[in-house]
Structure formats: C-alpha cells, structure tokens
Amino acid sequence: MRKTRAVSTDWRLEIERSGYYPALVIDAVATTLGEEDAEAFIVHHEATFDPAMEMRRHITVMLLTATRLVVCHTDEHPPTEPGGTSHASTTTDSIQLGNIQSVALTRVVPNPAQYTPGSLPSELVLSVNLSVNWGAVAPIDLEPASCADQTCELDHG
C-alpha cells in the first residue's frame, strides 16, 4: 500500500495557516496573480535569528500559472528607532515560463547507506532550488535634489 497525504489546493488557506501576516501576503499574491489561477504552489514560512539573537520571520510563496512563475517574499524588520514600530517588506516577481532556464530538486535522505532504490525512507525532506533568469535588474533610487551647505543656487535664466 502506498502512503499518501492530503495536500491543500488553496494557496490562501496555506498562507492563513502559516499565521505570518496573512492579509498582507494574500493581498500581494492576489494582486500579482491578477485574473490568472495558480495551477500549483508552495508556501514556505521560516524563522531565523539575527546577530542579536532576535527571531525574524519571513515567508516565500511560489505559484505556477499557465504562463508565469510568481514569487512573493515578505520579510519583517525591527523598528528603526527606539520606541518605533516594526515594518514588513514584500517583493513579488512575475517570471514568464520561457525565461526559466533550470529547476534543481535536492532530495535529502537520512541513512543513505541503507537506502534502496524504490523504497520509501522513514523520512524524506525535499528542497527546491530555482535558478531563474528574468533579465538584468537595475534599481534606481530617486531623491529630491538638495544642497546641504546652502551654497548651491539654481540658474533659471
């Protein structure tokens, strides 16, 4: 008998289940998806510790549509000033399927010396790594022109 497991087919439910700013993450993903439906998805919620040993969480949601791979990543950040509030940043990428050049799947198997082909090990951890090429990114920060020492004058003539 083959072991099976029920898997959610609703990416919104999985984001809700993670408990990590679900309204923010769902809104970002839905906005990026637009009218397209997700044919497959993965939701990865993870906690890490920064150098000050404070816990920081983040979530990555990847969805496959008929035409695109949508990747949404949200990080939380500590307050920038004492007594300030924390904030979150969400980045979404929409990659046309034709621009994906390779997908690597890493299988981690405990006790590899005891593994026999075709058998189901007692534990199997899958890790998905994507190598994606969607072109060059050149961010530009725009700020108002200013002169810190008051010696600058604009010539309007």
PDB file of all heavy atoms in Angstrom, residues 81-122:
ATOM      1  N   GLU A  81      13.893  53.002  14.958  1.00  0.00           N
ATOM      2  CA  GLU A  81      14.168  53.944  16.039  1.00  0.00           C
ATOM      3  C   GLU A  81      13.648  53.369  17.346  1.00  0.00           C
ATOM      4  O   GLU A  81      12.655  52.632  17.348  1.00  0.00           O
ATOM      5  CB  GLU A  81      13.482  55.277  15.760  1.00  0.00           C
ATOM      6  CG  GLU A  81      13.952  55.951  14.485  1.00  0.00           C
ATOM      7  CD  GLU A  81      13.157  57.213  14.198  1.00  0.00           C
ATOM      8  OE1 GLU A  81      12.312  57.613  15.029  1.00  0.00           O
ATOM      9  OE2 GLU A  81      13.371  57.796  13.133  1.00  0.00           O
ATOM     10  N   PRO A  82      14.283  53.697  18.454  1.00  0.00           N
ATOM     11  CA  PRO A  82      13.763  53.228  19.742  1.00  0.00           C
ATOM     12  C   PRO A  82      12.306  53.670  19.927  1.00  0.00           C
ATOM     13  O   PRO A  82      11.953  54.813  19.649  1.00  0.00           O
ATOM     14  CB  PRO A  82      14.668  53.908  20.774  1.00  0.00           C
ATOM     15  CG  PRO A  82      15.932  54.227  20.020  1.00  0.00           C
ATOM     16  CD  PRO A  82      15.497  54.497  18.607  1.00  0.00           C
ATOM     17  N   GLY A  83      11.478  52.753  20.339  1.00  0.00           N
ATOM     18  CA  GLY A  83      10.069  53.049  20.523  1.00  0.00           C
ATOM     19  C   GLY A  83       9.263  53.045  19.234  1.00  0.00           C
ATOM     20  O   GLY A  83       8.063  53.263  19.255  1.00  0.00           O
ATOM     21  N   GLY A  84       9.930  52.811  18.111  1.00  0.00           N
ATOM     22  CA  GLY A  84       9.243  52.781  16.823  1.00  0.00           C
ATOM     23  C   GLY A  84       8.521  51.458  16.613  1.00  0.00           C
ATOM     24  O   GLY A  84       8.538  50.569  17.465  1.00  0.00           O
ATOM     25  N   THR A  85       7.892  51.330  15.473  1.00  0.00           N
ATOM     26  CA  THR A  85       7.171  50.108  15.158  1.00  0.00           C
ATOM     27  C   THR A  85       7.929  49.311  14.107  1.00  0.00           C
ATOM     28  O   THR A  85       8.695  49.863  13.313  1.00  0.00           O
ATOM     29  CB  THR A  85       5.756  50.404  14.635  1.00  0.00           C
ATOM     30  OG1 THR A  85       5.863  51.186  13.442  1.00  0.00           O
ATOM     31  CG2 THR A  85       4.934  51.149  15.667  1.00  0.00           C
ATOM     32  N   SER A  86       7.704  48.006  14.126  1.00  0.00           N
ATOM     33  CA  SER A  86       8.312  47.160  13.110  1.00  0.00           C
ATOM     34  C   SER A  86       7.596  47.384  11.782  1.00  0.00           C
ATOM     35  O   SER A  86       6.527  47.993  11.731  1.00  0.00           O
ATOM     36  CB  SER A  86       8.222  45.694  13.529  1.00  0.00           C
ATOM     37  OG  SER A  86       6.878  45.304  13.641  1.00  0.00           O
ATOM     38  N   HIS A  87       8.192  46.905  10.709  1.00  0.00           N
ATOM     39  CA  HIS A  87       7.565  47.010   9.399  1.00  0.00           C
ATOM     40  C   HIS A  87       7.879  45.761   8.587  1.00  0.00           C
ATOM     41  O   HIS A  87       8.758  44.979   8.952  1.00  0.00           O
ATOM     42  CB  HIS A  87       7.998  48.282   8.669  1.00  0.00           C
ATOM     43  CG  HIS A  87       9.461  48.325   8.322  1.00  0.00           C
ATOM     44  ND1 HIS A  87      10.434  48.649   9.236  1.00  0.00           N
ATOM     45  CD2 HIS A  87      10.104  48.056   7.162  1.00  0.00           C
ATOM     46  CE1 HIS A  87      11.618  48.594   8.651  1.00  0.00           C
ATOM     47  NE2 HIS A  87      11.436  48.233   7.396  1.00  0.00           N
ATOM     48  N   ALA A  88       7.140  45.566   7.526  1.00  0.00           N
ATOM     49  CA  ALA A  88       7.349  44.418   6.652  1.00  0.00           C
ATOM     50  C   ALA A  88       7.586  44.924   5.239  1.00  0.00           C
ATOM     51  O   ALA A  88       7.067  45.969   4.843  1.00  0.00           O
ATOM     52  CB  ALA A  88       6.140  43.490   6.679  1.00  0.00           C
ATOM     53  N   SER A  89       8.385  44.175   4.486  1.00  0.00           N
ATOM     54  CA  SER A  89       8.591  44.486   3.074  1.00  0.00           C
ATOM     55  C   SER A  89       8.234  43.252   2.257  1.00  0.00           C
ATOM     56  O   SER A  89       8.593  42.140   2.620  1.00  0.00           O
ATOM     57  CB  SER A  89      10.034  44.919   2.803  1.00  0.00           C
ATOM     58  OG  SER A  89      10.931  43.883   3.139  1.00  0.00           O
ATOM     59  N   THR A  90       7.494  43.466   1.192  1.00  0.00           N
ATOM     60  CA  THR A  90       7.055  42.377   0.327  1.00  0.00           C
ATOM     61  C   THR A  90       7.515  42.652  -1.085  1.00  0.00           C
ATOM     62  O   THR A  90       7.284  43.734  -1.619  1.00  0.00           O
ATOM     63  CB  THR A  90       5.514  42.244   0.351  1.00  0.00           C
ATOM     64  OG1 THR A  90       5.105  41.979   1.686  1.00  0.00           O
ATOM     65  CG2 THR A  90       5.042  41.125  -0.551  1.00  0.00           C
ATOM     66  N   THR A  91       8.168  41.673  -1.680  1.00  0.00           N
ATOM     67  CA  THR A  91       8.617  41.767  -3.063  1.00  0.00           C
ATOM     68  C   THR A  91       7.963  40.651  -3.852  1.00  0.00           C
ATOM     69  O   THR A  91       7.969  39.498  -3.428  1.00  0.00           O
ATOM     70  CB  THR A  91      10.150  41.614  -3.156  1.00  0.00           C
ATOM     71  OG1 THR A  91      10.758  42.629  -2.362  1.00  0.00           O
ATOM     72  CG2 THR A  91      10.632  41.727  -4.587  1.00  0.00           C
ATOM     73  N   THR A  92       7.387  40.988  -4.997  1.00  0.00           N
ATOM     74  CA  THR A  92       6.823  39.973  -5.876  1.00  0.00           C
ATOM     75  C   THR A  92       7.524  40.033  -7.219  1.00  0.00           C
ATOM     76  O   THR A  92       7.814  41.113  -7.733  1.00  0.00           O
ATOM     77  CB  THR A  92       5.305  40.163  -6.073  1.00  0.00           C
ATOM     78  OG1 THR A  92       5.060  41.482  -6.551  1.00  0.00           O
ATOM     79  CG2 THR A  92       4.544  39.935  -4.790  1.00  0.00           C
ATOM     80  N   ASP A  93       7.816  38.865  -7.744  1.00  0.00           N
ATOM     81  CA  ASP A  93       8.399  38.725  -9.079  1.00  0.00           C
ATOM     82  C   ASP A  93       7.442  37.904  -9.917  1.00  0.00           C
ATOM     83  O   ASP A  93       6.881  36.920  -9.443  1.00  0.00           O
ATOM     84  CB  ASP A  93       9.752  38.007  -9.033  1.00  0.00           C
ATOM     85  CG  ASP A  93      10.850  38.848  -8.437  1.00  0.00           C
ATOM     86  OD1 ASP A  93      10.959  40.020  -8.818  1.00  0.00           O
ATOM     87  OD2 ASP A  93      11.599  38.324  -7.603  1.00  0.00           O
ATOM     88  N   SER A  94       7.288  38.286 -11.145  1.00  0.00           N
ATOM     89  CA  SER A  94       6.459  37.563 -12.091  1.00  0.00           C
ATOM     90  C   SER A  94       7.347  37.194 -13.268  1.00  0.00           C
ATOM     91  O   SER A  94       7.757  38.064 -14.032  1.00  0.00           O
ATOM     92  CB  SER A  94       5.294  38.448 -12.530  1.00  0.00           C
ATOM     93  OG  SER A  94       4.473  37.766 -13.430  1.00  0.00           O
ATOM     94  N   ILE A  95       7.661  35.915 -13.401  1.00  0.00           N
ATOM     95  CA  ILE A  95       8.628  35.450 -14.391  1.00  0.00           C
ATOM     96  C   ILE A  95       7.910  34.646 -15.462  1.00  0.00           C
ATOM     97  O   ILE A  95       7.225  33.666 -15.147  1.00  0.00           O
ATOM     98  CB  ILE A  95       9.729  34.583 -13.734  1.00  0.00           C
ATOM     99  CG1 ILE A  95      10.410  35.350 -12.602  1.00  0.00           C
ATOM    100  CG2 ILE A  95      10.754  34.137 -14.763  1.00  0.00           C
ATOM    101  CD1 ILE A  95      10.106  34.842 -11.247  1.00  0.00           C
ATOM    102  N   GLN A  96       8.034  35.032 -16.718  1.00  0.00           N
ATOM    103  CA  GLN A  96       7.443  34.265 -17.805  1.00  0.00           C
ATOM    104  C   GLN A  96       8.102  32.896 -17.845  1.00  0.00           C
ATOM    105  O   GLN A  96       9.319  32.766 -17.665  1.00  0.00           O
ATOM    106  CB  GLN A  96       7.642  34.980 -19.132  1.00  0.00           C
ATOM    107  CG  GLN A  96       6.835  36.241 -19.266  1.00  0.00           C
ATOM    108  CD  GLN A  96       7.062  36.918 -20.613  1.00  0.00           C
ATOM    109  OE1 GLN A  96       7.955  36.567 -21.375  1.00  0.00           O
ATOM    110  NE2 GLN A  96       6.231  37.898 -20.901  1.00  0.00           N
ATOM    111  N   LEU A  97       7.298  31.858 -18.083  1.00  0.00           N
ATOM    112  CA  LEU A  97       7.821  30.489 -18.052  1.00  0.00           C
ATOM    113  C   LEU A  97       8.967  30.289 -19.037  1.00  0.00           C
ATOM    114  O   LEU A  97       9.894  29.537 -18.763  1.00  0.00           O
ATOM    115  CB  LEU A  97       6.698  29.481 -18.317  1.00  0.00           C
ATOM    116  CG  LEU A  97       5.646  29.391 -17.227  1.00  0.00           C
ATOM    117  CD1 LEU A  97       4.604  28.336 -17.575  1.00  0.00           C
ATOM    118  CD2 LEU A  97       6.264  29.100 -15.869  1.00  0.00           C
ATOM    119  N   GLY A  98       8.932  30.970 -20.162  1.00  0.00           N
ATOM    120  CA  GLY A  98      10.004  30.838 -21.148  1.00  0.00           C
ATOM    121  C   GLY A  98      11.344  31.348 -20.648  1.00  0.00           C
ATOM    122  O   GLY A  98      12.389  31.023 -21.213  1.00  0.00           O
ATOM    123  N   ASN A  99      11.349  32.147 -19.569  1.00  0.00           N
ATOM    124  CA  ASN A  99      12.592  32.686 -19.031  1.00  0.00           C
ATOM    125  C   ASN A  99      13.213  31.808 -17.954  1.00  0.00           C
ATOM    126  O   ASN A  99      14.306  32.100 -17.474  1.00  0.00           O
ATOM    127  CB  ASN A  99      12.357  34.083 -18.459  1.00  0.00           C
ATOM    128  CG  ASN A  99      12.127  35.108 -19.541  1.00  0.00           C
ATOM    129  OD1 ASN A  99      12.470  34.896 -20.694  1.00  0.00           O
ATOM    130  ND2 ASN A  99      11.515  36.212 -19.184  1.00  0.00           N
ATOM    131  N   ILE A 100      12.537  30.748 -17.565  1.00  0.00           N
ATOM    132  CA  ILE A 100      13.108  29.847 -16.562  1.00  0.00           C
ATOM    133  C   ILE A 100      14.061  28.919 -17.274  1.00  0.00           C
ATOM    134  O   ILE A 100      13.695  28.218 -18.220  1.00  0.00           O
ATOM    135  CB  ILE A 100      12.009  29.054 -15.828  1.00  0.00           C
ATOM    136  CG1 ILE A 100      11.099  30.014 -15.072  1.00  0.00           C
ATOM    137  CG2 ILE A 100      12.640  28.028 -14.882  1.00  0.00           C
ATOM    138  CD1 ILE A 100       9.914  29.359 -14.429  1.00  0.00           C
ATOM    139  N   GLN A 101      15.313  28.909 -16.831  1.00  0.00           N
ATOM    140  CA  GLN A 101      16.335  28.129 -17.521  1.00  0.00           C
ATOM    141  C   GLN A 101      16.614  26.786 -16.872  1.00  0.00           C
ATOM    142  O   GLN A 101      17.058  25.869 -17.546  1.00  0.00           O
ATOM    143  CB  GLN A 101      17.612  28.947 -17.635  1.00  0.00           C
ATOM    144  CG  GLN A 101      17.386  30.183 -18.492  1.00  0.00           C
ATOM    145  CD  GLN A 101      18.662  30.891 -18.818  1.00  0.00           C
ATOM    146  OE1 GLN A 101      19.718  30.545 -18.344  1.00  0.00           O
ATOM    147  NE2 GLN A 101      18.565  31.891 -19.665  1.00  0.00           N
ATOM    148  N   SER A 102      16.395  26.658 -15.571  1.00  0.00           N
ATOM    149  CA  SER A 102      16.620  25.364 -14.941  1.00  0.00           C
ATOM    150  C   SER A 102      15.908  25.295 -13.597  1.00  0.00           C
ATOM    151  O   SER A 102      15.643  26.311 -12.969  1.00  0.00           O
ATOM    152  CB  SER A 102      18.113  25.096 -14.741  1.00  0.00           C
ATOM    153  OG  SER A 102      18.648  25.957 -13.765  1.00  0.00           O
ATOM    154  N   VAL A 103      15.583  24.087 -13.222  1.00  0.00           N
ATOM    155  CA  VAL A 103      14.998  23.833 -11.911  1.00  0.00           C
ATOM    156  C   VAL A 103      15.775  22.666 -11.312  1.00  0.00           C
ATOM    157  O   VAL A 103      15.943  21.635 -11.955  1.00  0.00           O
ATOM    158  CB  VAL A 103      13.498  23.482 -12.009  1.00  0.00           C
ATOM    159  CG1 VAL A 103      12.934  23.134 -10.639  1.00  0.00           C
ATOM    160  CG2 VAL A 103      12.719  24.631 -12.627  1.00  0.00           C
ATOM    161  N   ALA A 104      16.289  22.836 -10.105  1.00  0.00           N
ATOM    162  CA  ALA A 104      17.034  21.777  -9.429  1.00  0.00           C
ATOM    163  C   ALA A 104      16.223  21.295  -8.236  1.00  0.00           C
ATOM    164  O   ALA A 104      15.678  22.084  -7.491  1.00  0.00           O
ATOM    165  CB  ALA A 104      18.393  22.285  -8.960  1.00  0.00           C
ATOM    166  N   LEU A 105      16.142  20.011  -8.094  1.00  0.00           N
ATOM    167  CA  LEU A 105      15.428  19.411  -6.981  1.00  0.00           C
ATOM    168  C   LEU A 105      16.430  18.631  -6.154  1.00  0.00           C
ATOM    169  O   LEU A 105      17.114  17.743  -6.655  1.00  0.00           O
ATOM    170  CB  LEU A 105      14.327  18.482  -7.496  1.00  0.00           C
ATOM    171  CG  LEU A 105      13.524  17.723  -6.458  1.00  0.00           C
ATOM    172  CD1 LEU A 105      12.767  18.696  -5.566  1.00  0.00           C
ATOM    173  CD2 LEU A 105      12.565  16.775  -7.145  1.00  0.00           C
ATOM    174  N   THR A 106      16.570  18.988  -4.885  1.00  0.00           N
ATOM    175  CA  THR A 106      17.508  18.318  -3.993  1.00  0.00           C
ATOM    176  C   THR A 106      16.738  17.399  -3.066  1.00  0.00           C
ATOM    177  O   THR A 106      15.838  17.845  -2.363  1.00  0.00           O
ATOM    178  CB  THR A 106      18.297  19.350  -3.157  1.00  0.00           C
ATOM    179  OG1 THR A 106      18.960  20.229  -4.047  1.00  0.00           O
ATOM    180  CG2 THR A 106      19.294  18.669  -2.241  1.00  0.00           C
ATOM    181  N   ARG A 107      17.089  16.130  -3.084  1.00  0.00           N
ATOM    182  CA  ARG A 107      16.480  15.155  -2.178  1.00  0.00           C
ATOM    183  C   ARG A 107      17.477  14.859  -1.074  1.00  0.00           C
ATOM    184  O   ARG A 107      18.610  14.511  -1.338  1.00  0.00           O
ATOM    185  CB  ARG A 107      16.153  13.870  -2.926  1.00  0.00           C
ATOM    186  CG  ARG A 107      15.076  14.032  -3.941  1.00  0.00           C
ATOM    187  CD  ARG A 107      14.863  12.804  -4.787  1.00  0.00           C
ATOM    188  NE  ARG A 107      15.234  11.561  -4.138  1.00  0.00           N
ATOM    189  CZ  ARG A 107      14.481  10.468  -4.132  1.00  0.00           C
ATOM    190  NH1 ARG A 107      13.321  10.471  -4.736  1.00  0.00           N
ATOM    191  NH2 ARG A 107      14.895   9.385  -3.535  1.00  0.00           N
ATOM    192  N   VAL A 108      17.039  15.021   0.160  1.00  0.00           N
ATOM    193  CA  VAL A 108      17.870  14.726   1.325  1.00  0.00           C
ATOM    194  C   VAL A 108      17.300  13.466   1.961  1.00  0.00           C
ATOM    195  O   VAL A 108      16.131  13.438   2.347  1.00  0.00           O
ATOM    196  CB  VAL A 108      17.881  15.893   2.323  1.00  0.00           C
ATOM    197  CG1 VAL A 108      18.740  15.557   3.531  1.00  0.00           C
ATOM    198  CG2 VAL A 108      18.370  17.158   1.630  1.00  0.00           C
ATOM    199  N   VAL A 109      18.132  12.426   2.044  1.00  0.00           N
ATOM    200  CA  VAL A 109      17.679  11.138   2.552  1.00  0.00           C
ATOM    201  C   VAL A 109      18.526  10.749   3.753  1.00  0.00           C
ATOM    202  O   VAL A 109      19.748  10.682   3.656  1.00  0.00           O
ATOM    203  CB  VAL A 109      17.792  10.052   1.449  1.00  0.00           C
ATOM    204  CG1 VAL A 109      17.333   8.708   1.965  1.00  0.00           C
ATOM    205  CG2 VAL A 109      17.017  10.468   0.216  1.00  0.00           C
ATOM    206  N   PRO A 110      17.901  10.493   4.910  1.00  0.00           N
ATOM    207  CA  PRO A 110      18.680  10.031   6.072  1.00  0.00           C
ATOM    208  C   PRO A 110      19.187   8.611   5.835  1.00  0.00           C
ATOM    209  O   PRO A 110      18.580   7.834   5.097  1.00  0.00           O
ATOM    210  CB  PRO A 110      17.673  10.081   7.220  1.00  0.00           C
ATOM    211  CG  PRO A 110      16.330  10.031   6.570  1.00  0.00           C
ATOM    212  CD  PRO A 110      16.481  10.620   5.201  1.00  0.00           C
ATOM    213  N   ASN A 111      20.317   8.291   6.443  1.00  0.00           N
ATOM    214  CA  ASN A 111      20.937   6.962   6.315  1.00  0.00           C
ATOM    215  C   ASN A 111      21.094   6.532   4.863  1.00  0.00           C
ATOM    216  O   ASN A 111      20.566   5.505   4.442  1.00  0.00           O
ATOM    217  CB  ASN A 111      20.128   5.906   7.084  1.00  0.00           C
ATOM    218  CG  ASN A 111      20.093   6.181   8.555  1.00  0.00           C
ATOM    219  OD1 ASN A 111      21.098   6.587   9.130  1.00  0.00           O
ATOM    220  ND2 ASN A 111      18.946   5.999   9.162  1.00  0.00           N
ATOM    221  N   PRO A 112      21.820   7.306   4.070  1.00  0.00           N
ATOM    222  CA  PRO A 112      21.914   6.979   2.649  1.00  0.00           C
ATOM    223  C   PRO A 112      22.520   5.605   2.371  1.00  0.00           C
ATOM    224  O   PRO A 112      22.195   4.989   1.357  1.00  0.00           O
ATOM    225  CB  PRO A 112      22.794   8.100   2.080  1.00  0.00           C
ATOM    226  CG  PRO A 112      23.526   8.648   3.250  1.00  0.00           C
ATOM    227  CD  PRO A 112      22.640   8.457   4.429  1.00  0.00           C
ATOM    228  N   ALA A 113      23.351   5.087   3.263  1.00  0.00           N
ATOM    229  CA  ALA A 113      23.922   3.754   3.052  1.00  0.00           C
ATOM    230  C   ALA A 113      22.855   2.673   3.133  1.00  0.00           C
ATOM    231  O   ALA A 113      23.016   1.592   2.558  1.00  0.00           O
ATOM    232  CB  ALA A 113      25.032   3.489   4.073  1.00  0.00           C
ATOM    233  N   GLN A 114      21.761   2.958   3.834  1.00  0.00           N
ATOM    234  CA  GLN A 114      20.679   1.982   3.992  1.00  0.00           C
ATOM    235  C   GLN A 114      19.570   2.144   2.955  1.00  0.00           C
ATOM    236  O   GLN A 114      18.657   1.324   2.897  1.00  0.00           O
ATOM    237  CB  GLN A 114      20.069   2.108   5.401  1.00  0.00           C
ATOM    238  CG  GLN A 114      21.057   1.953   6.530  1.00  0.00           C
ATOM    239  CD  GLN A 114      21.733   0.587   6.509  1.00  0.00           C
ATOM    240  OE1 GLN A 114      21.093  -0.423   6.285  1.00  0.00           O
ATOM    241  NE2 GLN A 114      23.040   0.588   6.720  1.00  0.00           N
ATOM    242  N   TYR A 115      19.648   3.165   2.138  1.00  0.00           N
ATOM    243  CA  TYR A 115      18.594   3.429   1.163  1.00  0.00           C
ATOM    244  C   TYR A 115      18.679   2.455   0.003  1.00  0.00           C
ATOM    245  O   TYR A 115      19.753   2.204  -0.531  1.00  0.00           O
ATOM    246  CB  TYR A 115      18.711   4.868   0.646  1.00  0.00           C
ATOM    247  CG  TYR A 115      17.659   5.225  -0.386  1.00  0.00           C
ATOM    248  CD1 TYR A 115      16.375   5.530   0.012  1.00  0.00           C
ATOM    249  CD2 TYR A 115      17.963   5.229  -1.734  1.00  0.00           C
ATOM    250  CE1 TYR A 115      15.401   5.852  -0.915  1.00  0.00           C
ATOM    251  CE2 TYR A 115      16.991   5.547  -2.672  1.00  0.00           C
ATOM    252  CZ  TYR A 115      15.707   5.850  -2.259  1.00  0.00           C
ATOM    253  OH  TYR A 115      14.754   6.170  -3.177  1.00  0.00           O
ATOM    254  N   THR A 116      17.538   1.928  -0.382  1.00  0.00           N
ATOM    255  CA  THR A 116      17.476   1.078  -1.567  1.00  0.00           C
ATOM    256  C   THR A 116      16.531   1.724  -2.561  1.00  0.00           C
ATOM    257  O   THR A 116      15.467   2.242  -2.177  1.00  0.00           O
ATOM    258  CB  THR A 116      16.990  -0.354  -1.226  1.00  0.00           C
ATOM    259  OG1 THR A 116      15.733  -0.264  -0.569  1.00  0.00           O
ATOM    260  CG2 THR A 116      17.994  -1.079  -0.363  1.00  0.00           C
ATOM    261  N   PRO A 117      16.895   1.725  -3.842  1.00  0.00           N
ATOM    262  CA  PRO A 117      16.068   2.378  -4.858  1.00  0.00           C
ATOM    263  C   PRO A 117      14.621   1.885  -4.828  1.00  0.00           C
ATOM    264  O   PRO A 117      14.364   0.690  -4.698  1.00  0.00           O
ATOM    265  CB  PRO A 117      16.747   2.004  -6.169  1.00  0.00           C
ATOM    266  CG  PRO A 117      18.172   1.750  -5.784  1.00  0.00           C
ATOM    267  CD  PRO A 117      18.102   1.138  -4.411  1.00  0.00           C
ATOM    268  N   GLY A 118      13.706   2.817  -4.916  1.00  0.00           N
ATOM    269  CA  GLY A 118      12.289   2.490  -4.945  1.00  0.00           C
ATOM    270  C   GLY A 118      11.641   2.374  -3.583  1.00  0.00           C
ATOM    271  O   GLY A 118      10.412   2.330  -3.482  1.00  0.00           O
ATOM    272  N   SER A 119      12.426   2.328  -2.517  1.00  0.00           N
ATOM    273  CA  SER A 119      11.832   2.214  -1.189  1.00  0.00           C
ATOM    274  C   SER A 119      11.475   3.592  -0.658  1.00  0.00           C
ATOM    275  O   SER A 119      12.053   4.594  -1.053  1.00  0.00           O
ATOM    276  CB  SER A 119      12.786   1.508  -0.230  1.00  0.00           C
ATOM    277  OG  SER A 119      13.925   2.315   0.006  1.00  0.00           O
ATOM    278  N   LEU A 120      10.491   3.603   0.245  1.00  0.00           N
ATOM    279  CA  LEU A 120      10.112   4.854   0.891  1.00  0.00           C
ATOM    280  C   LEU A 120      10.849   4.940   2.210  1.00  0.00           C
ATOM    281  O   LEU A 120      10.599   4.156   3.120  1.00  0.00           O
ATOM    282  CB  LEU A 120       8.600   4.897   1.135  1.00  0.00           C
ATOM    283  CG  LEU A 120       7.736   4.982  -0.114  1.00  0.00           C
ATOM    284  CD1 LEU A 120       6.262   4.890   0.261  1.00  0.00           C
ATOM    285  CD2 LEU A 120       8.005   6.257  -0.873  1.00  0.00           C
ATOM    286  N   PRO A 121      11.796   5.880   2.340  1.00  0.00           N
ATOM    287  CA  PRO A 121      12.512   6.009   3.613  1.00  0.00           C
ATOM    288  C   PRO A 121      11.568   6.508   4.701  1.00  0.00           C
ATOM    289  O   PRO A 121      10.492   7.043   4.423  1.00  0.00           O
ATOM    290  CB  PRO A 121      13.607   7.027   3.310  1.00  0.00           C
ATOM    291  CG  PRO A 121      13.130   7.762   2.112  1.00  0.00           C
ATOM    292  CD  PRO A 121      12.226   6.853   1.357  1.00  0.00           C
ATOM    293  N   SER A 122      11.967   6.346   5.933  1.00  0.00           N
ATOM    294  CA  SER A 122      11.114   6.790   7.038  1.00  0.00           C
ATOM    295  C   SER A 122      10.964   8.304   7.051  1.00  0.00           C
ATOM    296  O   SER A 122       9.987   8.828   7.562  1.00  0.00           O
ATOM    297  CB  SER A 122      11.678   6.313   8.377  1.00  0.00           C
ATOM    298  OG  SER A 122      12.966   6.874   8.579  1.00  0.00           O
TER     299      SER A 122
END
